[in-house]
Amino acid sequence: MDERYRRIKERLGVLGQEQVLRYWPALDEEGRQGLLDQLEAMDLEFIAAQRERAWPPVEAGAGSLEGFSPMPHIPLPSGPEEERAWERARRHGEELLADGALGVLVVAGGQGTRLGYPGAKGKYPVGPVSGRSLFQYHIEKMVAMERRYGRPLPFYVMTSPANHEETIAFFKQNSWFGKDPDTILCFPQRMLPVFDLRGQLLLESPARLSLSPDGHGGVLYALRKHQLLEDMRRRGIRHLFHFQVDNVLVRIADPAYMGFHEEIGAEMSARTVRKRDPWEKLGNIGRQNGICKVIEYSELPDEKKTACTAAGELLFGQGSIAIHLFSLDFLERLLRQKIELPYHIARKKMASVEEQGAELAAGGLNAVKFEQFIFDAFSFAERVLVLETGRRLEFSPIKNREGEDSPATARRDLSELFAGWLEACGIRPRRHADGSLAVPVAISPLYAMSAAELGAKISSGLDPEREILLEEPTGE
């Protein structure tokens, strides 16, 4: 241990960070071992780069948005010609699925802390009636598609060190929700050190650095570190579908999306929804000087947020919902060229030793963390697709404990989706006078994934006055 300590102290001295060892004499053997393990695993290049910043650092922002205009998008079909184009894309996408050309990646490193849930966010029991978890909904969708197209959908699950083992144990306890475990690969994202307002590494305790996940953009680092692109090539994958675990409605591997993506030779694609209002917290996809970029809602000036077209619609009316498609060629090029996505800055309140505590900063924000966003990869793509989808068909994230984008709205939106399928089959679940559902409705993806599939199975004896749960028979 003495040699390890000497070597690490020397590295820290070069970085101007040797103060993290100030409690060393008071640490016991276990504390010393844990701290050395953390320090040896540090990304030294990242820490060295942060030394060049002014402290405390300020988010660079979007810069000048002169000339920034909305990216053209393919809207939802509104007439026969558009319907034919969507049908053509759907058929092409189904051919890709039958060819085994798609892999699926979910960002699932978050915890359910903000929801009051003590565990990985993907385990959250969101299902109406059934109590299905987010993970179960997503995996059952994939199993249903594997049955339909006769090919596996390899599933890559980006966890975090905080929930990696918990996630794997959850899958095992539930028999991988019917999916072949050889087609599920869990891998943890990188943890980055957190700094105090003076640029010093923040100590959570005398024997432990404060660390934070590197954001959904950290998937590029993880793909390289865990050699996942090589695994995808071995499996015959040519495109990667990317989504976030908290969106319960996401239509995984939607054939029309895949078909349009490959038809135009897109390197990276995005699905969007029509914004509820100018202030909705969704990213804005546009083009500036020929380069595609996503501007966060907080960085788009009010005059652009509220600007309208001649038809009276919001100029930036399409909001990104973090559902992307990548060509594997594009991802390989990013890694081969060692493309580094920019780091975004967040100031937080985090546990720390006393002299780096919250009292040093106004409002208790004593920590500076860095993260990468995957949408910044758009700037490196030569061909981009933006495809609209229906909000009630594909977007109901769980971000908040109450109000909009909460478990309550996700359950409502699931029930409404399934009730719509039932109504298309001639069965009308009971509704209140204002039109809202009076009974919860749940349909397993293994039972049906559309109104058409449901119509081939539904029983005429279903009672629309009571809660409805339709699941695949277990055979027991």
Side-chain angles (χ1 to χ4, degrees):
M1 183 179 292
D2 289 343
E3 176 59 25
R4 289 179 70 200
Y5 174 79
R6 183 198 63 77
R7 186 172 63 251
I8 288 174
K9 184 176 182 180
E10 184 176 307
R11 292 180 187 172
L12 291 170
V14 172
L15 296 170
Q17 296 287 352
E18 63 271 20
Q19 84 289 337
V20 297
L21 294 172
R22 61 191 179 276
Y23 294 105
W24 185 264
L27 299 182
D28 59 20
E29 190 75 10
E30 182 180 357
R32 290 180 172 184
Q33 184 71 45
L35 183 58
L36 290 180
D37 288 344
Q38 272 197 311
L39 291 169
E40 284 182 334
M42 284 193 311
D43 186 334
L44 300 182
E45 290 184 11
F46 169 78
I47 294 173
Q50 306 321 311
R51 286 190 67 196
E52 307 304 317
R53 291 179 177 270
W55 286 88
V58 177
E59 177 69 66
S64 171
L65 291 179
E66 184 178 354
F68 180 68
S69 58
M71 193 76 182
H73 71 281
I74 298 176
L76 289 168
S78 59
E81 185 176 349
E82 292 90 345
E83 292 284 1
R84 285 192 293 271
W86 278 73
E87 177 60 22
R88 183 187 66 246
R90 185 190 63 77
R91 289 196 301 269
H92 184 50
E94 290 185 330
E95 291 171 359
L96 292 171
L97 288 165
D99 194 36
L102 187 74
V104 177
L105 187 149
V106 65
V107 177
Q111 297 292 97
T113 308
R114 288 177 61 186
L115 308 178
Y117 179 73
K121 199 171 187 181
K123 293 170 54 180
Y124 190 86
V126 66
V129 189
S130 67
R132 265 180 174 73
S133 67
L134 287 161
F135 275 137
Q136 184 172 357
Y137 266 119
H138 297 321
I139 292 177
E140 286 186 352
K141 293 173 197 175
M142 285 182 276
V143 172
M145 297 193 77
E146 289 173 337
R147 293 176 181 177
R148 180 184 298 176
Y149 297 107
R151 295 296 296 268
L153 269 176
F155 187 33
Y156 301 86
V157 183
M158 189 167 81
T159 62
S160 67
N163 67 22
H164 182 70
E165 297 300 330
E166 176 190 3
T167 298
I168 294 174
F170 183 63
F171 289 161
K172 289 180 177 178
Q173 290 163 6
N174 290 279
S175 302
W176 305 88
F177 297 107
K179 187 166 171 58
D180 181 354
D182 289 338
T183 65
I184 301 180
L185 291 85
C186 298
F187 59 98
Q189 69 186 118
R190 174 178 52 161
M191 301 293 286
L192 291 176
V194 176
F195 298 82
D196 69 14
L197 302 185
R198 297 165 297 192
Q200 300 295 306
L201 291 171
L202 191 72
L203 282 172
E204 178 182 300
S205 70
R208 185 168 182 81
L209 290 171
S210 182
L211 302 174
S212 180
D214 61 357
H216 47 74
V219 69
L220 292 182
Y221 179 92
L223 290 174
R224 178 173 61 248
K225 178 180 180 180
H226 300 287
Q227 300 181 317
L228 295 176
L229 293 184
E230 291 85 346
D231 181 84
M232 294 175 194
R233 284 296 185 195
R234 285 194 296 270
R235 296 173 186 263
I237 293 170
R238 303 200 302 274
H239 304 286
L240 184 65
F241 182 93
H242 169 286
F243 72 102
Q244 297 181 353
V245 74
D246 61 9
N247 182 4
V248 70
L249 287 188
V250 58
R251 290 192 291 182
I252 295 173
D254 173 48
Y257 187 20
M258 292 183 60
F260 278 121
H261 172 81
E262 187 166 276
E263 276 184 3
I264 73 164
E267 292 187 317
M268 183 173 177
S269 297
R271 295 218 85 163
T272 58
V273 296
R274 190 176 299 273
K275 291 182 185 177
R276 284 191 292 250
D277 55 60
W279 318 108
E280 186 170 10
K281 297 178 179 181
L282 296 177
N284 301 276
I285 304 178
R287 182 184 285 144
Q288 185 179 34
N289 300 324
I291 297 175
C292 178
K293 60 170 64 175
V294 176
I295 302 300
E296 292 187 89
Y297 62 90
S298 59
E299 296 182 341
L300 194 70
D302 286 356
E303 60 268 22
K304 285 189 178 290
K305 283 189 175 97
T306 57
C308 291
T309 66
E313 297 181 345
L314 287 175
L315 181 65
F316 288 92
Q318 293 291 313
S320 174
I321 57 175
I323 299 175
H324 301 300
L325 270 170
F326 299 90
S327 76
L328 223 62
D329 288 343
F330 175 56
L331 292 173
E332 288 174 337
R333 175 164 66 82
L334 292 180
L335 298 190
R336 185 171 61 252
Q337 296 178 352
K338 298 182 179 179
I339 297 296
E340 183 86 352
L341 299 182
Y343 286 98
H344 296 260
I345 298 166
R347 297 174 71 162
K348 300 286 185 180
K349 180 178 180 180
M350 299 186 72
S352 66
V353 293
E354 184 175 355
E355 75 271 22
Q356 291 182 301
E359 69 276 7
L360 296 180
L365 304 179
N366 63 315
V368 177
K369 60 175 285 189
F370 295 84
E371 57 187 347
Q372 295 173 308
F373 298 155
I374 192 60
F375 57 66
D376 285 323
F378 273 112
S379 296
F380 302 96
E382 296 177 2
R383 291 173 302 281
V384 168
L385 165 75
V386 180
L387 185 69
E388 185 181 9
T389 187
R391 181 184 295 271
R392 293 308 180 200
L393 295 177
E394 198 165 2
F395 186 53
S396 187
I398 301 176
K399 303 290 186 185
N400 308 310
R401 194 168 186 170
E402 298 176 337
E404 281 297 332
D405 299 336
S406 67
T409 58
R411 293 188 182 102
R412 176 202 67 196
D413 293 343
L414 278 168
S415 284
E416 285 288 357
L417 176 70
F418 300 141
W421 296 356
L422 287 168
E423 287 165 347
C425 298
I427 296 173
R428 301 191 176 280
R430 182 163 57 88
R431 291 184 177 273
H432 297 297
D434 64 1
S436 62
L437 279 171
V439 294
V441 182
I443 299 174
S444 164
L446 298 179
Y447 188 89
M449 288 185 65
S450 67
E453 284 187 6
L454 184 62
K457 294 183 175 182
I458 197 69
S459 167
S460 58
L462 199 64
D463 184 358
E465 295 293 314
R466 305 178 61 181
E467 66 179 30
I468 296 171
L469 174 61
L470 298 175
E471 297 187 290
E472 184 179 58
T474 61
E476 296 178 359

